[in-house]
Amino acid sequence: EESVEFVDKMCPVQGKVYKDRIAVIALLQSGFSRQRICVASTHLQRNPEDPKQDMLRARQVGQVLRALVDFASQHGALEVPVVLTGDLNCTSFGRLRGVANTLSLMNRQVVLHPFTFDCADVPTGVTSVTMARCMRIDAILYQSQRLELVDVQ
C-alpha cells in the first residue's frame, strides 16, 4: 500500500506547498486464486456544488492517476485491474475524469495508466443528503475491460 498527499495549493511568494487531501492505493491478492486487484480510495476537495473547485478536484485526480502508474510499475502490476473509489465531491464524474486526463496529457513526460482510458462508473443512487444538497458525490470506478460489474446494491 501507499498513500498520496495531494498538493492543493502553492504560494508563489513563499514557495510553501499546502496539502489538504490524501489517497490510499493498495495492491490486493486473493488467497485462493492468487488474482490481484489494485484499489485506490480518496476524498477530493469539498463543496461539490461550487464549480470553482472543479479544477482543483481534476488536479487531485490527475495526481492519483500519476501515482497509480508509479505504484503499479513498482509492483509489476500495470496489467492488474484497478478500482478507484471514494468521495469525489463532484457533480459529473465523467467531466472530472476528462479534465484530469486533459491536464495530464498536456505534460509530455507523464505516463498514464490504462485505467485512465478504460474507466467505467458503477451506477448508484444519491450518496449525500444534507440541508445544502441531495446528490451523488461518492463513486466506484473500475476497468470495464478487466472487471465485470455483477450487481449494484
Side-chain angles (χ1 to χ4, degrees), residues 10-16 18:
M10 188 170 139
C11 176
V13 176
Q14 299 173 338
K16 186 176 178 182
Y18 296 91

PDB file of all heavy atoms in Angstrom, residues 10-16 18:
ATOM      1  N   MET A  10      -0.076  26.220  -3.903  1.00  0.00           N
ATOM      2  CA  MET A  10       1.310  26.604  -3.683  1.00  0.00           C
ATOM      3  C   MET A  10       1.387  28.117  -3.673  1.00  0.00           C
ATOM      4  O   MET A  10       0.880  28.774  -4.582  1.00  0.00           O
ATOM      5  CB  MET A  10       2.207  26.050  -4.778  1.00  0.00           C
ATOM      6  CG  MET A  10       3.654  26.263  -4.498  1.00  0.00           C
ATOM      7  SD  MET A  10       4.649  25.341  -5.662  1.00  0.00           S
ATOM      8  CE  MET A  10       5.911  26.540  -5.961  1.00  0.00           C
ATOM      9  N   CYS A  11       1.982  28.661  -2.641  1.00  0.00           N
ATOM     10  CA  CYS A  11       2.150  30.107  -2.536  1.00  0.00           C
ATOM     11  C   CYS A  11       3.364  30.502  -3.370  1.00  0.00           C
ATOM     12  O   CYS A  11       4.494  30.087  -3.062  1.00  0.00           O
ATOM     13  CB  CYS A  11       2.345  30.514  -1.076  1.00  0.00           C
ATOM     14  SG  CYS A  11       2.676  32.281  -0.890  1.00  0.00           S
ATOM     15  N   PRO A  12       3.173  31.310  -4.442  1.00  0.00           N
ATOM     16  CA  PRO A  12       4.303  31.667  -5.302  1.00  0.00           C
ATOM     17  C   PRO A  12       5.327  32.560  -4.602  1.00  0.00           C
ATOM     18  O   PRO A  12       6.496  32.549  -4.946  1.00  0.00           O
ATOM     19  CB  PRO A  12       3.648  32.394  -6.482  1.00  0.00           C
ATOM     20  CG  PRO A  12       2.310  32.814  -5.996  1.00  0.00           C
ATOM     21  CD  PRO A  12       1.915  31.882  -4.894  1.00  0.00           C
ATOM     22  N   VAL A  13       4.898  33.307  -3.599  1.00  0.00           N
ATOM     23  CA  VAL A  13       5.804  34.214  -2.895  1.00  0.00           C
ATOM     24  C   VAL A  13       6.681  33.441  -1.917  1.00  0.00           C
ATOM     25  O   VAL A  13       7.907  33.558  -1.929  1.00  0.00           O
ATOM     26  CB  VAL A  13       5.001  35.317  -2.144  1.00  0.00           C
ATOM     27  CG1 VAL A  13       5.923  36.202  -1.326  1.00  0.00           C
ATOM     28  CG2 VAL A  13       4.199  36.140  -3.134  1.00  0.00           C
ATOM     29  N   GLN A  14       6.051  32.630  -1.061  1.00  0.00           N
ATOM     30  CA  GLN A  14       6.787  31.887  -0.049  1.00  0.00           C
ATOM     31  C   GLN A  14       7.287  30.532  -0.558  1.00  0.00           C
ATOM     32  O   GLN A  14       8.138  29.918   0.067  1.00  0.00           O
ATOM     33  CB  GLN A  14       5.908  31.649   1.179  1.00  0.00           C
ATOM     34  CG  GLN A  14       5.444  32.917   1.844  1.00  0.00           C
ATOM     35  CD  GLN A  14       4.431  32.631   2.954  1.00  0.00           C
ATOM     36  OE1 GLN A  14       3.788  31.585   2.968  1.00  0.00           O
ATOM     37  NE2 GLN A  14       4.294  33.575   3.865  1.00  0.00           N
ATOM     38  N   GLY A  15       6.718  30.047  -1.653  1.00  0.00           N
ATOM     39  CA  GLY A  15       7.071  28.729  -2.160  1.00  0.00           C
ATOM     40  C   GLY A  15       6.537  27.612  -1.277  1.00  0.00           C
ATOM     41  O   GLY A  15       6.956  26.472  -1.389  1.00  0.00           O
ATOM     42  N   LYS A  16       5.586  27.947  -0.412  1.00  0.00           N
ATOM     43  CA  LYS A  16       5.016  26.965   0.511  1.00  0.00           C
ATOM     44  C   LYS A  16       3.947  26.134  -0.192  1.00  0.00           C
ATOM     45  O   LYS A  16       3.133  26.651  -0.944  1.00  0.00           O
ATOM     46  CB  LYS A  16       4.413  27.679   1.720  1.00  0.00           C
ATOM     47  CG  LYS A  16       3.919  26.744   2.791  1.00  0.00           C
ATOM     48  CD  LYS A  16       3.429  27.501   4.008  1.00  0.00           C
ATOM     49  CE  LYS A  16       2.911  26.520   5.034  1.00  0.00           C
ATOM     50  NZ  LYS A  16       2.381  27.189   6.209  1.00  0.00           N
ATOM     51  N   TYR A  18       0.690  23.582   0.111  1.00  0.00           N
ATOM     52  CA  TYR A  18      -0.408  23.233   1.001  1.00  0.00           C
ATOM     53  C   TYR A  18      -0.998  21.895   0.592  1.00  0.00           C
ATOM     54  O   TYR A  18      -1.314  21.685  -0.579  1.00  0.00           O
ATOM     55  CB  TYR A  18      -1.512  24.304   0.952  1.00  0.00           C
ATOM     56  CG  TYR A  18      -1.045  25.647   1.467  1.00  0.00           C
ATOM     57  CD1 TYR A  18      -0.508  26.588   0.600  1.00  0.00           C
ATOM     58  CD2 TYR A  18      -1.131  25.952   2.818  1.00  0.00           C
ATOM     59  CE1 TYR A  18      -0.073  27.815   1.062  1.00  0.00           C
ATOM     60  CE2 TYR A  18      -0.691  27.178   3.291  1.00  0.00           C
ATOM     61  CZ  TYR A  18      -0.162  28.103   2.413  1.00  0.00           C
ATOM     62  OH  TYR A  18       0.271  29.310   2.877  1.00  0.00           O
TER      63      TYR A  18
END
